[in-house]
Structure formats: structure tokens, C-alpha cells
Amino acid sequence: MLDPWDELETLQKGQRDSIACTKDLDNIKSSCIREHGKNHVVECPECWTRLINRLRDRYLNSPIKEWFSGRRAFLQELDDLFIKARQREVDFKAIEQRIADEKKEWFRDKLRNLNLHPAAMSPAEARALQQKLNDRDIPVDQLIPTLREYLGVDAELYEEVCNTFVNQVKVGQPPAARGHAYVEALFQPERDPSIAAKSQKYVDLITDGKPVAEVIGVMNRDRQSAKGDLDQKQRLQKKLEELRRARAAHQVRQEKARAAMNDATDTQPPCSVCEKPVNARKFLACPLCQLLASQYKVLDAPTLFCSETCHEEGYDSHFQTSHECSSGQNCQNLTDPDSQMEVDEPLVVFCRECVEHLGQVSTFCAVRCYSVNFQQHRDELHIPERERRKYEIDDQGQLEFDPDDETKYSARKIEDHIIRLRDAMADWQQKTEATIL
């Protein structure tokens, strides 16, 4: 990046050379008409060649580094146009238009390479600005108002600052005056001393003779670093808020668990074996009864045991008498004891509709047992209970009918109709933070 002062000086010199070239071209045209009696310079081979050579010399033999210097493809194309113009194959105005178009593209490239998007007022506007600078379908004349919009620049202030700086360059002040001009243009200490005070680090760098291009680089790096620190702070703040919410939720669950424990002390039934009161903080329970009573509310009370001794004495008989498979005499363990049931994981399942909607205690010894007896269970319990409770549900899409006998059907996906004991226990334990032993 060139020093802006030097770049402005070069541009001003180039403008003076362009003005001089334009005057020379006008002089060639007028003298040709006056001295050679031609209606137009193109009719005069001598003056036409002089005209083309003068314009060619302006762009292909410039003594200073200008906006078009280094744009080799453009200069080669321009030289080819001059050759064609001498042969009257190209109009003079076409050359001028090609130069004007290339200068606009140079200006677009200049803006894009200035890396201005980090100075936008928000990340979203920074991305939008960069997209607009890269969009060659947007006319160059629209880019300056777009820059002002996204960078939050006051148009009147911008014009005033730029004109003041340009005029200081024009009068050719000594190098020592550059620092003061840069400070005035960038930080406006007289207009807003607070901004200059906050930017004292950069003011000092410029005053000490640091090239302004390097100072602007330092400003950009500091801005990015500050943005990174802010982003990290926001992430940490968000994480802290999440932890606070999690802690609050945990405390609420603990309070609910303590309240439930206190309620249980007053309402829980005695030991089902010795009928002694049980310790609310230390007792054993039948898992199925506990879930059916507290999770699904289809039992009035769970079955509890006050000690390991009572549990060993009464649990098996309780389970056999109170938790018979809802398939009854059609249970697969009775009708087909050699069938492949859940040998590795013989877990009880609940009928989802019964325990969640119909208030019925429906447990099955295994998924396969319920699947085999699904139609009988639905016809004999679901349908009557739905009618009695006026519970309406359309589950035809969950049924799969026998193509040979439409009166027979099965569950299309049995998993939709069951709740596994282990899943129900996990859900209950998560809600209550209690453990079933």
C-alpha cells in the first residue's frame, strides 16, 4: 500500500499530464483545420498520425507510475487499438471509451484491495460490503455511496476532510507537515478530542514518523484482535448463562424430589410383607408398581418393602400374583415355551395406549408376546375403553391387515405401541432423581 500523500501527488501529476495531453490534442485538431483546410483531422494522414501518437505517448510512455502502470494486458490492448486507429479501423472515441472503462475497473480493484470490510459497523454488513465490491455488475459510480452507507460515513464530513487533505497535498507542504495532516484527517482532534484521545497510540505512531500505511495496518490488526476478544467474551458469557440455567434447573429438580420425598413420608403405604412403616429415604419397591403408580397413575399406590429380608420373602409371590402377563392364557410362555423370547434381555413392556391414555394396567412379559396377541388385546380392551372414555383415535394407519383375511391384523410397527420397562425407569429416574432398587 502506497503512502496516501504520495499516491495523491502522483494522481495530481497524472491529472496535469492528462489536461496537457487534452490541450495538445485540441491544438492538433484546430491547427489541422486551420492550416490544412480539412473538415476533420481524420481526413489528414499527417495530423491523424500526430493525434494518435500523442495519445499513445500519454499512456505508453508516461514518466511516472500512474493508475494504468503495470496493467500490461490493458496497455497491450491499447497499443493494438492505436495501430488499428492509424489504419482508420478504430474510431478515436472507442479508444477514449476503452481508457475510461479501464480506469473504472482500476478504481474497483483499488477499493477491493483496500480491505475496507473489517471497518463495517457489523459482521453482516462487512460480508455484504465485500460481496458488493466483488460484484462487477454494480456500476463503479454506485460504490462510493455504498461504502459510505456500510462504513457509517457522514457524507458532508467526508467531503470536507477529503478536500482539506487534497488541498494540503496540492500546496506541496514539507514532509514534516504530513503527520499533522494525517492526524487531522483520520482522528479529527479539533472536532472531537475524545476520539483522538482514544486513538492516542496511533496518533503517536504517525507523529513519530511511522508510515501511515503501516499505522493503518496496525489499526486493522488491533480492530480484529478486539473483535476476537469480544467474540470470546460473548461465547464465555453465553456458556456461563447456560451453566446458570442448568444449575437452576437442577435445583428445581432437587426441590421437587425433596417435596416428593416429604409427600411420600406421609402417603406411602406400609411394607407389603410385615406391614410396618417404611423409611421414606431407604426402602425397596416393586419397579412395575412404582412406575404404574407414580409415573402413569394407573395404580393407587406402589408395593414397598422395608428391608432386604421382606423383599426376598415377598417380591416373587407379589410379582406372580400382581403382574401376570396381560396376554393371559395366550401368553407365549404358556402356549409356546420353546419360542425364542428375549432370552438375553427378558424385560417387561407396557402397552403405551393403556398406561398413557386408558388408565389400564397392561404389562406383557416380552415384546414378541404383545406382538402376537396385539389384535386380541386391542379388540378386547382398547376398543371398549375408548368408547367408555369417549377417547377418539385413528390408528388404522398403524395396522397391517392380512391380505387373505381382512378380519385379521397386526401392528405395523410394534415399537410404536410399547414402552419398555428400562425406558420407563430411565424417564422416571431422570424426572425425580430417584433410583428404583
Side-chain angles (χ1 to χ4, degrees), residues 86-129:
R86 290 194 189 96
Q87 300 171 358
R88 295 177 174 79
E89 295 177 3
V90 173
D91 185 76
F92 196 77
K93 290 183 178 180
I95 298 177
E96 292 178 326
Q97 185 61 50
R98 180 66 188 89
I99 294 172
D101 291 343
E102 186 67 19
K103 189 167 186 178
K104 289 180 179 180
E105 290 307 306
W106 164 80
F107 184 69
R108 187 193 305 275
D109 293 339
K110 186 71 175 177
L111 290 178
R112 189 170 60 247
N113 294 332
L114 285 176
N115 194 31
L116 294 172
H117 65 280
M121 292 182 288
S122 70
E125 291 185 344
R127 291 190 295 271
L129 175 59

Side-chain angles (χ1 to χ4, degrees), residues 253-267:
R253 290 195 298 270
Q254 286 183 323
E255 289 296 330
K256 289 182 178 180
R258 281 193 289 268
M261 187 67 72
N262 293 334
D263 292 342
T265 303
D266 300 327
T267 61

Side-chain angles (χ1 to χ4, degrees), residues 30-264:
S30 60
S31 66
C32 182
I33 294 173
R34 184 179 60 253
E35 297 175 5
H36 297 163
K38 303 294 183 181
N39 293 324
H40 195 281
V41 69
V42 73
E43 299 173 359
C44 179
E46 178 186 348
C47 293
W48 179 248
T49 300
R50 288 175 57 206
L51 194 76
I52 297 300
N53 288 343
R54 179 64 183 93
L55 188 60
R56 181 183 183 279
D57 187 62
R58 167 72 187 94
Y59 288 97
L60 271 68
N61 297 311
S62 175
I64 61 176
K65 187 175 182 180
E66 299 190 54
W67 66 265
F68 48 81
S69 302
R71 300 177 77 87
R72 295 181 180 179
F74 163 67
L75 293 176
Q76 181 60 55
E77 180 184 351
L78 199 59
D79 196 23
D80 293 340
L81 288 175
F82 287 133
I83 293 174
K84 292 180 180 179
R86 290 194 189 96
Q87 300 171 358
R88 295 177 174 79
E89 295 177 3
V90 173
D91 185 76
F92 196 77
K93 290 183 178 180
I95 298 177
E96 292 178 326
Q97 185 61 50
R98 180 66 188 89
I99 294 172
D101 291 343
E102 186 67 19
K103 189 167 186 178
K104 289 180 179 180
E105 290 307 306
W106 164 80
F107 184 69
R108 187 193 305 275
D109 293 339
K110 186 71 175 177
L111 290 178
R112 189 170 60 247
N113 294 332
L114 285 176
N115 194 31
L116 294 172
H117 65 280
M121 292 182 288
S122 70
E125 291 185 344
R127 291 190 295 271
L129 175 59
Q130 191 63 27
Q131 289 175 355
K132 288 183 178 295
L133 291 175
N134 291 333
D135 187 354
R136 293 191 175 274
D137 291 333
I138 298 178
V140 171
D141 296 340
Q142 295 181 11
L143 289 179
I144 292 298
T146 299
L147 280 173
R148 291 174 181 170
E149 176 186 352
Y150 282 103
L151 299 179
V153 175
D154 184 321
E156 293 183 1
L157 177 60
Y158 170 82
E159 292 293 340
E160 179 184 341
V161 171
C162 286
N163 289 337
T164 301
F165 187 77
V166 169
N167 290 333
Q168 288 177 314
V169 176
K170 283 182 178 179
V171 298
Q173 295 190 32
R178 290 190 182 189
H180 178 73
Y182 282 134
V183 170
E184 289 293 329
L186 293 173
F187 308 112
Q188 297 288 296
E190 295 182 2
R191 186 184 301 273
D192 192 345
S194 62
I195 294 180
K198 293 178 182 178
S199 306
Q200 191 60 46
K201 169 185 175 180
Y202 312 115
V203 172
D204 292 342
L205 289 174
I206 293 174
T207 304
D208 293 341
K210 194 81 168 179
V212 72
E214 294 184 22
V215 176
I216 292 175
V218 172
M219 293 170 66
N220 283 333
R221 288 193 296 273
D222 288 350
R223 181 185 179 90
Q224 290 297 316
S225 177
K227 180 178 180 299
D229 292 342
L230 178 60
D231 290 344
Q232 184 178 13
K233 182 178 179 181
Q234 290 174 341
R235 286 194 297 270
L236 292 174
Q237 184 65 32
K238 183 179 179 181
K239 185 64 176 178
L240 181 60
E241 291 174 357
E242 291 175 353
L243 291 173
R244 286 173 178 168
R245 287 195 295 268
R247 181 182 178 184
H250 178 67
Q251 291 174 340
V252 169
R253 290 195 298 270
Q254 286 183 323
E255 289 296 330
K256 289 182 178 180
R258 281 193 289 268
M261 187 67 72
N262 293 334
D263 292 342

Side-chain angles (χ1 to χ4, degrees), residues 345-361:
E345 193 177 13
L347 290 180
V348 171
V349 297
F350 300 116
C351 170
R352 182 182 295 278
E353 183 173 342
C354 283
V355 298
E356 290 186 346
H357 303 291
L358 302 180
Q360 299 297 309
V361 180

